Amino acid sequence: MSSLKEREAWATKIGLILSMAGNAVGLGNFWRFPRLLAANGGGAFMIPYFIALLLLGIPLMWVEWATGRYGGKYGHGTLGPMFYVMARESVKPRKALIFAIIGGMLAFSVTTLLNSYYIHVIGWTAAYSIYSATGAYYGADTVNFFFDHVKNFPMVMATWLIPMILLFIAAFRGVSKGIEAFNKVMMPLLYVFAVLLAIRSITIGSPVRPDWSSFTGLNYIWKPDFETLSRNFWVISLAAAGQIFFTLSLGMGIIQNYASYIRKGDDIALSALTTASLNELAEVIIGGSIAIPIAYAYLGPEVVKSGSLGLAFMALPNVFTSMGEVGRFFGTIWFLLLFFAGWTSAIAMYNYLTALLEEDLKINRRIGAVVVFLIYLMLGLPVALDPSLTYFAELDNWVGSYLLVVLGLFDVIVAVWLFKPDNLWKELHEGALMKVPAFFKYVLMVLTPIYILILLVGTTIDYYNQGVFAQADPLIVQARIAIIIILVLGAVETYLAISRKYREELAKNQVIVRAE
């Protein structure tokens, strides 16, 4: 038996729910989801999307919450040590260390590299809030305007530092006084702005052509399209499953980090389901009712169905311009909505690295917050210096779309199979305010891992067919080198953290340390 240090905890239940929802509700809801939805047949996309939510999203949310709270009992807030103490239930400590290193290095790379470019997108939203308020893009070619912005290094740096500084302040102040306090303000504002825009969207009518209306856009989203789905089943299903991972922040280690601050005996079953529900409300009901209906009414179906990456930054400014002066207000609200959504997700990744420095390497939290700021500054500079966004896109290809799915597979391998399904079920229901249907226990054991493997194989084939592996642009090579370096650093850090605390266990190859 070992005495374990008391860790900081969430101050309130609502603060926990809002922070977890803030972690999930991000740019994926209002920027990525409408783009994928539009490009993949609207109603055709929603069918595999809801199947993936049921078989992947919700089950993995329960797994990651349970993993986090269990790891928190041992004083761990990062994934490597959590995987270690769970894997010991089936394998000897030295074998458990292997799974821990894999999980630790994947979580370290995702939270480090994904946030290095994700914060830049948040910076773009800050810039476009200013541009909307001042009418800077009025009368301009909005496509060229966007690329002129990413070439404007001083403006990119200035607006990038806005979310960076706010992230630093929140992490510096700690979990309850920093992250929870910020989320209690930002999340309600996010929903207020989203509802205002959704109302405006569905009441906009047909301002350009009678056949271009917001209701036609809503019909495109919600009318089941089995014909389109059957023609493009593989591509659409992969896109839908990938979106579930991205939107719920699965396979990143940050849900486990937040859950590690939950007190022993507090509910996680209903809290996890509530968090997923708040995210889906923001994404499907509100997010799906803003960008596509507005763009449909002002720009027409062809622009919408192209599913352009620039839908938020290139297409929608045309919409706000066509609204006249009132468009400045709605444009500012739209980009502030994106800013809040992005920031509340980015702080979870920032806190993961801060917790890693604090708990694994014994660095004071406030000093750790400074160190993380400097790390993101260094890793984000290549993104700021590349107006072609080639470096950005390559990182997103592997970190934001692939590695998190690999980590999701290891979630199941370690937290379900090695930890043992009965142990997971017991941990999930400790203090639970609801009984999770037993059906999901068997989903996690069989259907979820099969689904993830199909997703990984399909994505790999898709990358091969696109020629992703053969690309040799210098910026692409630089991005791949950065990924490899961060993966190695993550593996080394995880090994050092575990070997320091569990040195005797690893030497004797038998379990010694147990949480009370």
Side-chain angles (χ1 to χ4, degrees):
M1 194 73 68
S2 172
S3 61
L4 299 166
K5 181 182 177 182
E6 186 72 22
R7 300 173 74 243
E8 187 178 5
W10 299 102
T12 63
K13 182 80 168 180
I14 188 64
L16 164 64
I17 296 295
L18 288 176
S19 295
M20 278 290 198
N23 165 36
V25 176
L27 289 169
N29 300 74
F30 303 103
W31 170 52
R32 195 174 191 265
F33 174 73
R35 175 176 64 82
L36 291 177
L37 177 60
N40 288 282
F45 179 84
M46 297 305 291
I47 299 166
Y49 176 87
F50 283 119
I51 294 172
L53 176 64
L54 183 67
L55 299 182
L56 281 179
I58 293 174
L60 281 176
M61 283 287 280
W62 279 321
V63 168
E64 295 199 353
W65 276 66
T67 300
R69 189 177 65 180
Y70 185 78
K73 293 175 181 178
Y74 285 85
H76 300 312
T78 55
L79 199 58
M82 290 178 184
F83 271 12
Y84 173 76
V85 296
M86 297 184 97
R88 296 180 315 174
E89 295 297 316
S90 291
V91 299
K92 295 285 188 178
R94 290 174 194 165
K95 286 186 179 178
L97 180 63
I98 296 171
F99 292 99
I101 289 173
I102 293 171
M105 74 177 189
L106 287 171
F108 181 79
S109 65
V110 170
T111 52
T112 303
L113 291 171
L114 193 153
N115 227 19
S116 72
Y117 65 84
Y118 190 80
I119 299 173
H120 271 287
V121 182
I122 303 171
W124 297 347
T125 68
Y128 267 74
S129 296
I130 298 169
Y131 294 149
S132 297
T134 59
Y137 51 69
Y138 275 51
D141 181 315
T142 54
V143 174
N144 290 332
F145 187 90
F146 174 76
F147 285 111
D148 285 342
H149 167 70
V150 295
K151 291 175 186 176
N152 186 347
F153 184 73
M155 185 64 173
V156 166
M157 287 296 294
T159 50
W160 176 41
L161 285 174
I162 293 172
M164 283 275 284
I165 291 169
L166 289 175
L167 290 168
F168 164 73
I169 293 171
F172 185 87
R173 288 174 56 85
V175 173
S176 59
K177 294 181 180 178
I179 298 168
E180 184 174 345
F182 271 80
N183 277 309
K184 280 183 176 179
V185 174
M186 286 194 174
M187 286 303 294
L189 282 175
L190 184 154
Y191 278 100
V192 168
F193 287 171
V195 169
L196 282 174
L197 285 166
I199 292 171
R200 177 57 180 165
S201 170
I202 61 178
T203 58
I204 213 164
S206 304
V208 178
R209 287 174 43 173
D211 55 332
W212 291 4
S213 72
S214 57
F215 282 102
T216 308
L218 286 172
N219 185 62
Y220 176 68
I221 297 170
W222 289 108
K223 183 180 180 181
D225 187 347
F226 293 100
E227 183 181 346
T228 300
L229 178 60
S230 64
R231 287 200 313 266
N232 304 280
F233 180 80
W234 186 247
V235 173
I236 295 175
S237 296
L238 286 178
Q243 174 61 16
I244 288 296
F245 264 90
F246 195 95
T247 188
L248 292 176
S249 297
L250 298 169
M252 300 181 184
I254 52 183
I255 290 175
Q256 293 95 325
N257 173 246
Y258 271 14
S260 73
Y261 299 102
I262 297 173
R263 295 179 179 88
K264 182 179 178 180
D266 282 356
D267 164 76
I268 58 174
L270 182 59
S271 295
L273 185 61
T274 302
T275 300
S277 301
L278 284 172
N279 178 78
E280 292 309 304
L281 170 66
E283 177 156 296
V284 177
I285 305 301
I286 302 176
S289 300
I290 299 175
I292 292 178
I294 290 179
Y296 221 102
Y298 279 96
L299 304 175
E302 295 308 313
V303 171
V304 171
K305 293 177 183 179
S306 69
S308 169
L309 274 168
L311 186 63
F313 297 100
M314 299 178 197
L316 286 181
N318 285 317
V319 171
F320 302 133
T321 300
S322 65
M323 291 181 181
E325 287 303 305
V326 73
R328 293 192 183 193
F329 171 76
F330 283 106
T332 304
I333 294 295
W334 165 252
F335 288 110
L336 281 175
L337 167 67
L338 293 183
F339 180 87
F340 289 153
W343 189 93
T344 55
S345 295
I347 186 55
M349 289 181 271
Y350 198 112
N351 187 69
Y352 184 91
L353 294 181
T354 305
L356 182 146
L357 294 174
E358 180 184 19
E359 295 166 7
D360 293 359
L361 303 181
K362 307 306 177 186
I363 295 174
N364 177 274
R365 165 171 275 275
R366 294 186 171 185
I367 296 174
V370 174
V371 172
V372 174
F373 182 90
L374 295 175
I375 289 172
Y376 281 138
L377 195 65
M378 178 179 66
L379 293 176
L381 275 175
V383 180
L385 292 168
D386 173 31
S388 72
L389 303 181
T390 303
Y391 183 88
F392 175 114
E394 185 63 13
L395 284 183
D396 189 49
N397 250 355
W398 293 106
V399 180
S401 304
Y402 198 87
L403 291 186
L404 52 84
V405 181
V406 175
L407 185 49
L409 178 61
F410 275 90
D411 274 338
V412 176
I413 292 172
V414 175
V416 180
W417 293 348
L418 294 182
F419 186 52
K420 298 177 182 176
D422 288 344
N423 288 337
L424 175 70
W425 220 240
K426 180 182 177 182
E427 179 64 35
L428 179 60
H429 287 92
E430 182 182 313
L433 299 176
M434 65 169 285
K435 173 70 175 176
V436 178
F439 161 77
F440 282 104
K441 185 177 182 180
Y442 301 101
V443 167
L444 277 168
M445 293 168 63
V446 182
L447 294 181
T448 299
I450 290 174
Y451 208 138
I452 296 173
L453 283 170
I454 291 172
L455 179 59
L456 282 172
V457 170
T459 304
T460 304
I461 293 171
D462 187 45
Y463 279 11
Y464 178 80
N465 291 337
Q466 291 179 30
V468 171
F469 297 105
Q471 293 173 345
D473 183 288
L475 288 169
I476 290 176
V477 173
Q478 288 176 32
R480 291 175 181 175
I481 291 172
I483 293 169
I484 293 170
I485 290 173
I486 295 299
L487 282 169
V488 171
L489 288 176
V492 171
E493 187 282 328
T494 303
Y495 171 77
L496 291 175
I498 295 171
S499 61
R500 180 180 292 114
K501 180 165 184 176
Y502 299 96
R503 188 182 308 276
E504 186 180 357
E505 273 197 13
L506 293 169
K508 295 181 178 180
N509 204 24
Q510 63 184 43
V511 176
I512 298 171
V513 180
R514 287 286 188 187
E516 295 181 4

